[in-house]
Amino acid sequence: MKKFAWIFCAAALALVACNKNNTENTSGDAGKLSDLEYFQDRLVTLDQNGNIRGYNVGQNLNEADPSEITVPVDTYEQARDLFLKWLPSGAKPAVSGKTYTWEMTDQENKSEGKVIFAESTAPGTIATISINASGAKARSVKFIPFSAWPENASGVEDYLAVNYYVGATIQVNENKGAGTGEYVVIKEWTPQEPGLMIQIDPNRNENNQYQSLNNSDASSISTTQRVREVLHDGNNYTYFVNVYGKSKNWPSLDNPYITSKVKTVWAFGSDKYYCVNLENGKETTITKRDGKHHYRVLIYWFTAAGDQVVIW
């Protein structure tokens, strides 16, 4: 069998799951999130220096411009549905024919740019997304026909299909931020989106072990919501909770799962964090120093790139 190289990018995303009893100590609704931050996190993963380290949709096929993402689709309607899927809950873009314009606002409801999705008249392009906002790292998405998607002659895509199917257990031997050990694939790789694999920490940990948690260590709201979508797709929820819950100490999904730190917000001298309930998708905030036990849920994205399996 051909030997496949493994490339582990900088530290992978990590989630911290709160104990069920902790739901009584939540601080209410999280409030308005930054639209730009949410949308950028849906498209790409950034490293601690703010550079793109992984693409959460499609791939970058233009080496000269890392801010450009390419996604294969069959029709304009499929591209439109993907665009709407990537928006945060409650977003209401203005519609004019086949053009959608989403005006983004920050936590204080101040304008922070716009996102425009439109049908394309350029040869070989079905539709485009333009992100017109200061500080955006992903600035455009091109939807192209599947027939124009580059073929992978190495066979690594076949390797992923055989070895990284939903429910497969992947042994990670080198810790690059999300730990080592056995990871369970919850979503297969496709040209439109990378795959997801997660690990449930079998040990409950005291809160003070996570006092150093910051935005670069925690996953984003959009990543957490994506995990929720995957777990609830078809029979995945029942499969993973009932089967892997018994053997891998899977905690109940009706807990608030900590994502990123609430910026400039303090509660009684303790850091406050955004949370997502993986059962109902509700977003809230929580004070982390609550004296409760916490589970960790570690996440790796993975994709095919040339003759390699890339993990971040």
Side-chain angles (χ1 to χ4, degrees), residues 85-151:
K85 170 186 173 183
W86 298 338
L87 298 181
S89 176
K92 296 180 179 180
V95 183
S96 176
K98 292 188 175 182
T99 298
Y100 291 67
T101 302
W102 178 42
E103 300 282 352
M104 296 183 292
T105 56
D106 62 14
Q107 292 93 334
E108 298 177 352
N109 287 318
K110 295 179 181 179
S111 176
E112 55 179 357
K114 64 178 63 176
V115 175
I116 301 173
F117 168 83
E119 185 177 34
S120 176
T121 58
T125 304
I126 294 176
T128 61
I129 297 174
S130 299
I131 300 99
N132 303 318
S134 175
K137 298 297 183 179
R139 305 195 69 87
S140 65
V141 179
K142 292 173 56 179
F143 294 94
I144 66 173
F146 268 100
S147 59
W149 191 254
E151 294 184 6

Side-chain angles (χ1 to χ4, degrees), residues 257-273:
Y257 283 64
I258 292 177
T259 61
S260 57
K261 185 183 294 184
V262 178
K263 295 181 179 178
T264 68
V265 176
W266 294 78
F268 306 108
S270 299
D271 291 344
K272 212 176 193 182
Y273 293 83

Side-chain angles (χ1 to χ4, degrees), residues 30-42:
K32 176 77 168 62
L33 300 174
S34 163
D35 289 335
L36 176 61
E37 182 178 0
Y38 183 102
F39 193 61
Q40 289 288 294
D41 287 338
R42 188 66 185 84

Side-chain angles (χ1 to χ4, degrees), residues 15 33-34 44 55 83 88 117 129 170 177 180 213 216 309:
L15 289 172
L33 300 174
S34 163
V44 297
Y55 295 87
F83 165 69
F117 168 83
I129 297 174
I170 305 299
T180 60
L213 182 68
S216 63
V309 176

Side-chain angles (χ1 to χ4, degrees), residues 5-312:
W6 295 86
I7 297 179
F8 290 90
C9 296
L13 303 174
L15 289 172
V16 182
C18 304
N19 182 274
K20 183 175 182 179
N21 293 333
N22 202 27
T23 57
E24 299 177 357
N25 297 325
T26 56
S27 304
D29 293 336
K32 176 77 168 62
L33 300 174
S34 163
D35 289 335
L36 176 61
E37 182 178 0
Y38 183 102
F39 193 61
Q40 289 288 294
D41 287 338
R42 188 66 185 84
L43 301 179
V44 297
T45 297
L46 303 179
D47 61 20
Q48 294 182 350
N49 297 319
N51 299 315
I52 297 174
R53 73 180 183 197
Y55 295 87
N56 302 341
V57 300
Q59 289 187 22
N60 171 245
L61 301 182
N62 182 0
E63 294 183 359
D65 184 5
S67 71
E68 180 184 282
I69 304 171
T70 303
V71 180
V73 293
D74 290 314
T75 63
Y76 161 85
E77 288 74 21
Q78 189 177 51
R80 178 202 59 200
D81 292 346
L82 284 173
F83 165 69
L84 295 175
K85 170 186 173 183
W86 298 338
L87 298 181
S89 176
K92 296 180 179 180
V95 183
S96 176
K98 292 188 175 182
T99 298
Y100 291 67
T101 302
W102 178 42
E103 300 282 352
M104 296 183 292
T105 56
D106 62 14
Q107 292 93 334
E108 298 177 352
N109 287 318
K110 295 179 181 179
S111 176
E112 55 179 357
K114 64 178 63 176
V115 175
I116 301 173
F117 168 83
E119 185 177 34
S120 176
T121 58
T125 304
I126 294 176
T128 61
I129 297 174
S130 299
I131 300 99
N132 303 318
S134 175
K137 298 297 183 179
R139 305 195 69 87
S140 65
V141 179
K142 292 173 56 179
F143 294 94
I144 66 173
F146 268 100
S147 59
W149 191 254
E151 294 184 6
N152 191 327
S154 69
V156 69
E157 296 177 13
D158 293 335
Y159 179 82
L160 284 175
V162 172
N163 295 279
Y164 284 70
Y165 55 88
V166 171
T169 299
I170 305 299
Q171 180 67 36
V172 176
N173 295 318
E174 185 177 1
N175 183 359
K176 292 295 181 178
T180 60
E182 290 187 348
Y183 282 73
V184 178
V185 175
I186 65 170
K187 178 192 175 300
E188 295 177 346
W189 169 89
T190 69
Q192 294 176 331
E193 287 189 326
L196 280 169
M197 57 182 178
I198 68 177
Q199 177 196 105
I200 305 297
D201 188 339
N203 302 308
R204 293 199 304 177
N205 296 275
E206 292 292 349
N207 210 16
N208 58 14
Q209 290 184 267
Y210 300 112
Q211 294 307 314
S212 62
L213 182 68
N214 55 46
N215 287 336
S216 63
D217 297 325
S219 73
S220 65
I221 287 281
S222 54
T223 296
T224 313
Q225 289 287 18
R226 186 69 188 108
V227 169
R228 174 186 174 268
E229 292 169 8
V230 171
L231 290 177
H232 288 271
D233 183 23
N235 295 319
N236 285 351
Y237 180 85
T238 300
Y239 177 78
F240 289 116
V241 174
N242 290 344
V243 178
Y244 282 95
K246 298 176 182 178
S247 62
K248 300 185 184 302
N249 296 307
W250 199 300
S252 172
L253 296 184
D254 62 355
N255 301 320
Y257 283 64
I258 292 177
T259 61
S260 57
K261 185 183 294 184
V262 178
K263 295 181 179 178
T264 68
V265 176
W266 294 78
F268 306 108
S270 299
D271 291 344
K272 212 176 193 182
Y273 293 83
Y274 290 117
C275 294
V276 171
N277 184 303
L278 293 183
E279 179 148 10
N280 58 30
K282 182 179 179 181
E283 297 171 6
T284 185
T285 56
I286 195 169
T287 301
K288 198 157 86 57
R289 297 176 184 175
D290 54 16
K292 303 294 183 181
H293 290 290
H294 298 76
Y295 287 101
R296 292 188 303 169
V297 183
L298 306 175
I299 301 175
Y300 280 119
W301 294 91
F302 64 88
T303 190
D307 61 353
Q308 301 166 336
V309 176
V310 180
I311 299 176
W312 69 94

